[in-house]
Amino acid sequence: MNTDYKNFSKMLHLTSRSLRMAIDRRLKYLGLSQASWVAVAAIAGAELPLSQSELAQRLGVEGATVVTMVDRLVKIGLVLRIPTPADRRKKLLVVTDEGKALYEKVRTEADALGKEILEDVDARDMQVAMRVLAKVYNATETLT
């Protein structure tokens, strides 16, 4: 295996995980698991209401995992399942007002943490990193 790829892949994974954990520590006061606030953020941040299968795809988890998670989010009043006119069996997910308020807290905390983490990163280095990550993302999206 190419050493550059191996090191890049490892660093990308570790950085992504570390960032999620740092945000999770900051959001601990909300009393929600990382999976819960990530799901609420995905639903709230979507341009259109998501189906459960679309949410599963965005989160990179199995459909059965999402069902349990959404059941919990509905039960605590953060998400609603609404019927779709095209298919009565299919439900779409939307956040409640309480879910929107949570999303805003998550966004505010994540933005503040991101600013804190990146304060010592040179703007040019950040631009290079963003270009590299965009190229990697685009390359992975076109693979079959």
Side-chain angles (χ1 to χ4, degrees):
M1 177 180 278
N2 180 322
T3 305
D4 286 342
Y5 171 76
K6 185 176 178 181
N7 291 337
F8 177 80
S9 178
K10 180 180 177 181
M11 187 54 66
L12 186 61
H13 170 75
L14 291 174
T15 302
S16 175
R17 182 180 183 284
S18 183
L19 182 58
R20 284 192 313 274
M21 298 305 290
I23 294 170
D24 198 42
R25 287 190 300 272
R26 285 277 171 100
L27 297 175
K28 200 164 201 70
Y29 74 94
L30 296 174
L32 293 173
S33 69
Q34 179 185 16
S36 294
W37 62 255
V38 167
V40 170
I43 296 165
E47 289 183 29
L48 298 171
L50 300 173
S51 68
Q52 288 184 170
S53 60
E54 290 168 330
L55 178 61
Q57 185 177 22
R58 286 187 184 202
L59 299 179
V61 298
E62 297 294 322
T65 302
V66 165
V67 171
T68 304
M69 184 186 320
V70 171
D71 286 346
R72 193 174 335 113
L73 295 174
V74 167
K75 186 176 181 178
I76 61 175
L78 297 174
V79 172
L80 294 174
R81 286 184 177 105
I82 59 171
T84 179
D87 183 351
R88 293 184 330 187
R89 295 168 296 167
K90 182 178 178 181
K91 303 288 187 216
L92 298 176
L93 305 173
V94 295
V95 291
T96 62
D97 288 342
E98 190 176 339
K100 287 177 190 170
L102 173 73
Y103 174 62
E104 289 305 320
K105 285 180 188 176
V106 168
R107 243 186 47 199
T108 299
E109 291 284 355
D111 289 350
L113 181 63
K115 185 176 180 182
E116 183 180 327
I117 289 169
L118 297 173
E119 70 185 350
D120 292 332
V121 176
D122 181 77
R124 291 173 301 212
D125 290 342
M126 186 61 153
Q127 290 171 351
V128 170
M130 291 299 294
R131 279 196 309 271
V132 169
L133 290 173
K135 284 182 180 183
V136 170
Y137 175 78
N138 290 332
T140 59
E141 286 295 302
T142 59
L143 294 175
T144 55

